[in-house]
Amino acid sequence: MRKFVLCFLVGLVCSASVIAQVKTLPFSKYITERKGLQNAYNAISIQKNATVAFLGGSITYNSGWRDKVCAYLKERFPATKFHFIAAGIPSLGSLPHTFRLSRDVLDSGKVDLLFLEAAVNDQVNGTDSVTQVQSLEGIVRHAKTNNPLMDIVMMSFADPDKTKLYDSGVVPTSVANHELVADHYQLPSINLAKAIRDMLANNEFSWEKDFKDLHPSPFGQELYFEAIEDLLSSSLSKAGSKQQKVMKLPALLNKGSFTRGRYLSIETAENKNGWELVKSWTPEDGLGTRPGFVKVPMLVSTVAGSSFTLKFKGNAVGMAIVSGSDAGIVSYSIDNGAEKQLDLFTQWSKSLHLPWYVLFGSNLADTDHVLKVTISTEKNQNSKGTACRIVNFLIN
């Protein structure tokens, strides 16, 4: 139980008679169990062999709540053999997650329990609402197709922008979409964005002094863990020894959802003009990088006019790049259609080679296509160049 006390000092002595305790809000108000975690319980408690995966951004990548969840499960179920998959990568939201799901999570074997968070980066990265739904639904359906018995917990973490929206009576779009998909597929969810906002309003703690950042302090990490522990304790206790049950997938929320998202190798690009396949790319400008997006193969060009074509089959196509201080603009067309442009420079590119996922097209006919990409002679006024560094192509 959380304990927040206001202690008035008399000299150097804190008297119990002058301790005022704030009545705290329970996390249960912000947890929706829906169908619960019956299948995960069977794998953990009965089969005693379970894989638990954590898919998210920097709040999942950093040490804190994730480590505490792992320790809790091992302590509560000491006879169970656990395999934990830490698949958090800073800066990435739902769109990247749906295309990296296979490689970073599903290829590791049968996953029994998946923790999924993307609300912070979806909000910060400006991912539009439709793409959020297509991506989140794509992750859930892809995961459930891979293992129909997988249980998934969807989490919306806190940040100052969400707090301000809640203060003005508005539900943040990314939170609403997490809850929309969770409800449609009857998945447990935890709205920590609303919980933290309400606890701040209840004067239980301070953002500046206690929580400190959207990358929570140890204090904030403990709060996140306590909420997840509440869900696990309640849902796993209710599960009992019932038989595992496969839920029939409902109709799609969005027919264009990325339910079969995957990476396509950069080596599949054809008719390359002005491009170099770098076997292990590292920056030469001293800017920061992200795990998985440095010392890996990249298709690179810094010269305007460089072009390539890509043959693919599916209804969506894009690319995962690193966007640094010299990121350029690319022109592209699909099946000789109208030419469009994408500016690869972001608000963070001046200080970081940011992993950035862009779509060239979605809701295409699910058939064979040809994409053509050319680096434009134009560039963002804040960029130092016309570079394009591709880590993977994205196909659905």
Side-chain angles (χ1 to χ4, degrees):
M1 179 180 292
R2 304 186 314 282
K3 293 181 180 179
F4 302 97
V5 296
L6 180 62
C7 186
F8 299 92
L9 298 181
V10 180
L12 296 177
V13 180
C14 179
S15 171
S17 64
V18 293
I19 293 179
Q21 183 167 332
V22 176
K23 186 176 181 180
T24 61
L25 298 173
F27 277 119
S28 58
K29 287 184 59 177
Y30 308 95
I31 296 171
T32 309
E33 291 191 33
R34 299 186 178 90
K35 292 293 185 180
L37 301 172
Q38 176 64 50
N39 295 332
Y41 175 85
N42 279 33
I44 293 170
S45 185
I46 298 174
Q47 298 170 16
K48 301 188 185 304
N49 193 329
T51 295
V52 181
F54 302 86
L55 181 64
S58 54
I59 304 173
T60 295
Y61 172 82
N62 295 341
S63 296
W65 70 267
R66 173 175 51 81
D67 308 89
K68 293 175 182 290
V69 169
C70 296
Y72 166 81
L73 288 172
K74 288 191 290 185
E75 181 178 352
R76 179 170 174 181
F77 303 98
T80 299
K81 180 181 178 182
F82 283 103
H83 174 216
F84 296 111
I85 301 173
I89 297 180
S91 303
L92 302 190
S94 61
L95 180 65
H97 296 341
T98 194
F99 290 100
R100 71 187 187 92
L101 178 66
S102 285
R103 190 195 68 181
D104 292 353
V105 177
L106 302 182
D107 287 354
S108 295
K110 182 176 75 72
V111 176
D112 301 292
L113 178 59
L114 172 66
F115 290 91
L116 171 62
E117 64 93 1
V120 169
N121 282 332
D122 277 357
Q123 196 92 8
V124 171
N125 292 346
T127 306
D128 68 86
S129 182
V130 172
T131 302
Q132 289 179 29
V133 173
Q134 290 176 319
S135 301
L136 291 169
E137 180 171 47
I139 293 166
V140 170
R141 291 185 80 98
H142 192 166
K144 289 279 193 178
T145 301
N146 180 270
N147 176 20
L149 294 175
M150 186 190 307
D151 282 335
I152 302 171
V153 177
M154 298 191 69
M155 304 174 297
S156 299
F157 289 152
D159 61 60
D161 288 341
K162 291 187 182 61
T163 297
K164 290 178 183 177
L165 286 169
Y166 274 123
D167 286 343
S168 63
V170 176
V171 177
T173 299
S174 61
V175 175
N177 284 332
H178 275 62
E179 291 298 323
L180 171 69
V181 173
D183 193 61
H184 189 67
Y185 290 92
Q186 289 298 291
L187 310 174
S189 64
I190 311 176
N191 186 351
L192 281 154
K194 183 68 162 61
I196 298 304
R197 179 268 169 197
D198 288 355
M199 290 170 186
L200 288 168
N202 196 41
N203 296 315
E204 296 183 26
F205 52 84
S206 160
W207 181 275
E208 292 78 11
K209 295 181 180 179
D210 302 309
F211 211 87
K212 296 185 179 180
D213 189 20
L214 59 83
H215 301 112
S217 65
F219 174 91
Q221 296 283 358
E222 180 64 26
L223 290 184
Y224 280 0
F225 164 66
E226 287 184 14
I228 297 166
E229 181 186 23
D230 278 7
L231 168 63
L232 292 174
S233 178
S234 173
S235 195
L236 292 177
S237 296
K238 292 175 183 176
S241 57
K242 300 175 186 176
Q243 188 175 7
Q244 289 180 303
K245 186 177 180 180
V246 175
M247 185 190 85
K248 182 180 178 181
L249 292 177
L252 283 162
L253 284 167
N254 188 303
K255 291 182 179 180
S257 289
F258 310 123
T259 60
R260 294 170 293 137
R262 64 181 178 90
Y263 285 148
L264 183 65
S265 171
I266 51 178
E267 295 185 7
T268 57
E270 299 178 348
N271 303 312
K272 296 186 292 292
N273 175 28
W275 296 82
E276 179 187 4
L277 186 59
V278 179
K279 292 184 178 180
S280 180
W281 178 84
T282 55
E284 298 177 353
D285 55 9
L287 295 185
T289 58
R290 294 296 195 213
F293 294 84
V294 63
K295 297 181 180 178
V296 296
M298 290 193 196
L299 186 61
V300 176
S301 179
T302 59
V303 180
S306 299
S307 62
F308 67 82
T309 60
L310 178 72
K311 294 178 182 178
F312 69 96
K313 184 175 183 178
N315 61 10
V317 63
M319 62 181 181
I321 65 166
V322 289
S323 173
S325 62
D326 58 351
I329 294 173
V330 295
S331 300
Y332 67 95
S333 65
I334 299 175
D335 300 332
N336 293 315
E339 190 170 80
K340 301 177 182 180
Q341 284 192 332
L342 272 176
D343 187 350
L344 306 181
F345 192 86
T346 76
Q347 60 179 305
W348 303 279
S349 295
K350 285 186 177 181
S351 58
L352 172 69
H353 285 283
L354 180 76
W356 199 242
Y357 286 58
V358 296
L359 288 175
F360 295 117
S362 58
N363 296 303
L364 306 171
D366 193 3
T367 186
D368 294 317
H369 302 280
V370 177
L371 167 74
K372 182 176 181 180
V373 175
T374 304
I375 298 181
S376 175
T377 55
E378 302 176 41
K379 71 178 187 70
N380 187 295
Q381 62 179 0
N382 296 312
S383 177
K384 296 179 179 179
T386 56
C388 180
R389 299 179 178 92
I390 306 171
V391 188
N392 287 293
F393 294 116
L394 316 175
I395 304 294
N396 186 62

